[in-house]
Amino acid sequence: MATDSSECANPLLLKWLEEWLQNAREQNSKGVQTYKKAYDSMKACPIAFNHPSEAQQLHGLGSKLCDRLTAKLKAHCTEHGLPMPDVGQGAQKRSNDKETEPGPAKKARKPKPYVPLFRSGPYAIILALSSAGEDTSRGFTKAEVIELAQCHCDSSFTAPSDPTKYFTAWNSMKTLMEKDVVFERGRPLRKYSLTEDGWEVARRLRKTDHVNQDLSQGKDKQPAKAGSGPQWNVGIVPSGLDGPSGRPGSGIIQHEIAADPCLDGFLELSSSPPRDPGGQSDITRDRRTDRRNRQDTYNPPSIDENDFPPSFQPLHLQPSEFTVHLVLDTREVRAKQDRDYIQEELTRRGVKPIMRSLELGDALWVARRKSADDSRTESENDEIVLDWVVERKRLDDLVGSIKDGRFHEQKSAQFRLRRSGVKNVVYIIEEISMTTESFSKYQEAVETAIASTQVVNGYFVKMTAKVDDTIRYLARMTAMLKSVYECKTLNIIPTSILTSENHTPLLDHLRQTEPTTDYHITYTAFASLASKSESLTLRDIFLKMLMCTKGITGDRALEIQKKWPTPRQFIEAFKQCGDGDAGRSKRENLLVDELSGLVGRKKFGKALSAKVAEVWGSI
């Protein structure tokens, strides 16, 4: 970079700035622009400076750069035996003004003390490491830290909350080490301890009331025998009162929990989460055990339907004779590679589930007699189904069911969950992470579907962020139901009077005539009535046959069945259309003509009518 320094009023200062600019360019430094501004200002300045500090009046030259020029000038004068020039009066005056009249001092920013989120990974690790006491120098291995910390954390230290991710609560250890809260020592067996700052954080945490409560409950949350859990104060709202949705008869259970947040969000809906069709896991009971649980499979007897309601004497199960248990479907898995996670986490929280292939729902609760006798009577050995069923669905599967139209069919009152007679159905939606593009496309549809389910249908939805929240919800629900049912007598409807036709009307009749009394049925009867195949009527089979045709939804199939109650009548209607081109035209337009008053999703178009005629009109 060639420059004619003779044209500049301060050639020596300009030369040094040029050297620094050249070096910055060679090193590809970020200071190139700074030196370029200073160089251009010095080159264009017509005023000769007696001292480099006077150059602060120029654009691009600050105090640091002028100090470097002063140091360079001092070295130059020493090298050549020249006297160092004095600071100019203007620069000296500005310097004195700064010393005598300082500006308002900038308020020092006080660093905030580190406070981890309640029941987060760092929070649990700090409490675990502080359990040894400040006087000891003992370190904890990773396995020891996880064992002590898990009961204080809502997330798992061993498995990621999202199967598509790899991060667990243990990854927060890196954050604590970066903040100098935890230090690591030892190779190859690493051990972890709190630093001085870490102990300060631990002391602050232990001073708070909710942390002390969490510490006291953490001792009870260690792996314990099944059935143990937190104590709940529970009160039943009579079924005649309005629930949160304003729907009479919802019978919502309200309760208070000492440390855990309240349960909320109940919903009736007949949809299922994605099931894993793979083989049975090691936790699954032997098939012989499952067959033994369902032996004496209930075959509904044929009785006179005109005799309704049937008279019966309910069986009674006293509070001291049974315990409440959670029954979990064997197909409910976290991932194909981690099939035992849900059961193991529930067991760790004091709830040992009964693993079984359920005919309906993904989880339910039963009252099981404490001691079984040899005589097989319903009140003695059979499990009694309580009025609570859980349906679990991941968000991505919900989006899929909305895309292909299964969502509205699964909600239909004509399907199995609604016909089961269960009063309280919890519909859990796990908000699993999805790509922004795929979710944003259906976000409005998902929100509309959930809102209509709650408002229009009067159902209740429970949203959870991950599978760990679902597990914690099931554990708290089990504890709540144990406190509700184990102190009351259960009234059991004899299985001998139940049929697939009178089951639901009978329960509705009993709830209207005796709203303060709950009636239950045995698990054997419930499984048989809820079975997809064991209790199908001709009407059910006809509906399934109709829905095999693409475009025939549940609503449309019901309209066809109302017009033609049996398959034979439907086929005869096509035969009456005649032969030839005129008959073919009448067959293709049969549904359009006969069901012309339908609107919305129930309406039949000509293309769909012709497709149905092609199937049923050729029989």
Side-chain angles (χ1 to χ4, degrees):
M1 180 176 180
T3 304
D4 188 3
S5 303
S6 59
E7 298 178 1
C8 179
N10 304 281
L12 192 58
L13 301 181
L14 183 66
K15 177 184 175 182
W16 293 332
L17 288 174
E18 181 182 358
E19 292 177 358
W20 295 342
L21 175 61
Q22 190 64 28
N23 291 337
R25 284 176 173 170
E26 292 176 356
Q27 298 175 5
N28 195 24
S29 172
K30 295 181 180 179
V32 172
Q33 294 300 324
T34 302
Y35 291 122
K36 185 70 168 61
K37 289 180 182 179
Y39 174 82
D40 292 340
S41 297
M42 185 66 71
K43 183 179 179 181
C45 179
I47 303 173
F49 298 130
N50 185 47
H51 193 275
S53 59
E54 299 175 5
Q56 290 191 43
Q57 59 187 296
L58 299 179
H59 176 68
L61 280 94
S63 58
K64 291 186 178 180
L65 199 54
C66 289
D67 290 343
R68 289 188 61 187
L69 290 172
T70 301
K72 191 73 173 176
L73 179 62
K74 186 175 181 180
H76 175 78
C77 293
T78 302
E79 181 181 355
H80 295 85
L82 300 175
M84 181 66 183
D86 298 330
V87 180
Q89 293 182 358
Q92 184 70 33
K93 182 179 179 182
R94 284 193 297 271
S95 178
N96 293 337
D97 291 343
K98 289 182 180 180
E99 293 177 1
T100 56
E101 298 180 8
K106 189 175 181 180
K107 187 176 181 180
R109 192 171 187 179
K110 186 178 180 180
K112 291 184 177 181
Y114 175 66
V115 179
L117 185 66
F118 181 63
R119 295 194 64 80
S120 63
Y123 165 88
I125 291 175
I126 292 174
L127 290 185
L129 294 178
S130 64
S131 61
E134 296 188 51
D135 298 334
T136 180
S137 60
R138 178 197 171 190
F140 293 87
T141 63
K142 178 179 179 180
E144 292 172 338
V145 173
I146 291 176
E147 182 180 0
L148 293 171
Q150 186 60 78
C151 60
H152 303 298
C153 183
D154 290 337
S155 301
S156 174
F157 277 86
T158 56
S161 57
D162 188 344
T164 62
K165 306 296 182 181
Y166 299 96
F167 297 101
T168 65
W170 177 255
N171 292 93
S172 56
M173 177 64 80
K174 181 179 179 182
T175 303
L176 295 177
M177 294 175 65
E178 290 176 351
K179 292 182 176 294
D180 198 28
V181 176
V182 176
F183 71 91
E184 176 190 77
R185 55 187 170 87
R187 290 291 188 278
L189 185 61
R190 302 180 183 182
K191 293 190 175 184
Y192 303 90
S193 303
L194 291 177
T195 62
E196 289 297 329
D197 293 341
W199 281 111
E200 183 63 29
V201 175
R203 285 191 289 269
R204 286 199 303 269
L205 288 178
R206 290 176 179 273
K207 288 180 181 179
T208 58
D209 294 337
H210 64 282
V211 174
N212 289 329
Q213 193 171 12
D214 182 49
L215 285 171
S216 61
Q217 289 189 352
K219 299 177 182 179
D220 301 332
K221 291 182 181 180
Q222 297 293 337
K225 62 181 181 179
S228 62
Q231 296 297 321
W232 302 44
N233 296 324
V234 185
I236 299 275
V237 177
S239 57
L241 299 180
D242 292 348
S245 65
R247 179 187 180 190
S250 56
I252 299 303
I253 288 188
Q254 298 178 343
H255 54 274
E256 300 174 357
I257 309 173
D260 295 330
C262 290
L263 295 170
D264 54 3
F266 297 99
L267 165 76
E268 293 179 353
L269 198 60
S270 59
S271 57
S272 298
R275 302 294 185 92
D276 184 3
Q280 300 294 331
S281 67
D282 293 335
I283 63 172
T284 306
R285 291 191 171 201
D286 187 87
R287 290 185 177 180
R288 291 174 298 177
T289 304
D290 187 64
R291 286 198 299 268
R292 191 163 56 247
N293 288 332
R294 294 189 53 196
Q295 65 179 345
D296 303 332
T297 300
Y298 163 57
N299 296 313
S302 177
I303 64 173
D304 185 5
E305 294 298 330
N306 295 324
D307 184 19
F308 184 86
S311 61
F312 67 93
Q313 185 66 31
L315 306 173
H316 301 289
L317 199 59
Q318 300 302 321
S320 59
E321 298 177 350
F322 68 90
T323 55
V324 174
H325 296 270
L326 169 66
V327 181
L328 190 65
D329 193 279
T330 54
R331 293 161 290 186
E332 286 303 301
V333 296
R334 179 179 170 273
K336 291 183 179 180
Q337 298 79 15
D338 193 3
R339 302 181 59 87
D340 301 349
Y341 180 78
I342 296 179
Q343 189 202 21
E344 291 175 350
E345 286 297 305
L346 283 170
T347 304
R348 188 182 62 78
R349 295 177 182 273
V351 179
K352 187 176 182 181
I354 300 172
M355 303 305 296
R356 183 179 301 167
S357 179
L358 296 178
E359 293 288 353
L360 183 65
D362 302 316
L364 55 83
W365 286 267
V366 298
R368 173 182 277 185
R369 186 174 174 82
K370 293 181 179 179
S371 59
D373 298 333
D374 294 335
S375 57
R376 296 286 298 175
T377 61
E378 294 152 330
S379 62
E380 292 175 346
N381 282 346
D382 285 352
E383 298 164 335
I384 310 304
V385 178
L386 304 180
D387 275 335
W388 295 87
V389 172
V390 170
E391 284 285 345
R392 170 177 166 251
K393 184 181 283 293
R394 296 196 324 182
L395 184 60
D396 53 353
D397 185 63
L398 177 62
V399 171
S401 65
I402 292 175
K403 289 167 60 178
D404 57 24
R406 288 183 293 115
F407 179 77
H408 296 286
E409 296 173 18
Q410 290 167 346
K411 246 185 0 177
S412 175
Q414 305 298 321
F415 286 85
R416 297 182 300 130
L417 188 60
R418 203 69 178 279
R419 295 189 341 190
S420 67
V422 176
K423 186 165 56 175
N424 304 298
V425 181
V426 183
Y427 189 65
I428 298 178
I429 299 178
E430 290 180 5
E431 298 177 321
I432 188 172
S433 60
M434 298 176 60
T435 59
T436 306
E437 181 180 358
S438 61
F439 179 68
S440 59
K441 187 177 180 180
Y442 297 98
Q443 181 177 3
E444 186 175 349
V446 170
E447 293 174 351
T448 302
I450 295 176
S452 66
T453 300
Q454 293 175 307
V455 178
V456 178
N457 301 99
Y459 298 153
F460 302 100
V461 179
K462 171 64 180 176
M463 307 292 290
T464 59
K466 49 185 181 294
V467 67
D468 291 325
D469 292 344
T470 301
I471 293 171
R472 189 164 55 254
Y473 184 81
L474 291 176
R476 295 204 300 263
M477 277 287 296
T478 303
M480 182 193 69
L481 294 178
K482 286 175 72 68
S483 62
V484 170
Y485 285 101
E486 290 183 356
C487 61
K488 61 190 296 186
T489 301
L490 299 183
N491 301 303
I492 307 165
I493 302 175
T495 303
S496 58
I497 70 164
L498 294 175
T499 68
S500 58
E501 288 78 15
N502 73 2
H503 169 233
T504 304
L506 177 59
L507 288 177
D508 293 339
H509 173 75
L510 292 173
R511 287 166 184 167
Q512 291 177 3
T513 57
E514 303 179 46
T516 59
T517 305
D518 292 331
Y519 288 89
H520 310 274
I521 63 175
T522 64
Y523 177 80
T524 303
F526 174 83
S528 182
L529 291 168
S531 174
K532 292 182 179 179
S533 58
E534 291 184 11
S535 60
L536 287 179
T537 62
L538 175 61
R539 176 174 176 273
D540 298 329
I541 297 175
F542 186 27
L543 291 174
K544 286 180 173 289
M545 294 169 65
L546 290 171
M547 292 176 63
C548 289
T549 303
K550 187 176 181 181
I552 300 296
T553 62
D555 293 333
R556 287 170 176 163
L558 286 171
E559 294 300 326
I560 295 175
Q561 195 272 335
K562 290 178 183 177
K563 181 69 176 178
W564 299 281
T566 64
R568 181 174 181 175
Q569 293 176 346
F570 193 42
I571 295 172
E572 290 293 335
F574 282 104
K575 288 183 178 180
Q576 292 174 5
C577 294
D579 300 326
D581 293 341
R584 182 170 57 84
S585 177
K586 292 180 70 174
R587 285 194 298 271
E588 291 179 350
N589 295 307
L590 178 64
L591 296 182
V592 176
D593 296 337
E594 295 294 333
L595 303 175
S596 58
L598 302 178
V599 295
R601 291 192 180 93
K602 300 179 181 180
K603 187 176 181 180
F604 286 88
K606 291 186 176 181
L608 182 58
S609 179
K611 185 185 297 185
V612 174
E614 182 181 356
V615 176
W616 290 86
S618 59
I619 298 177

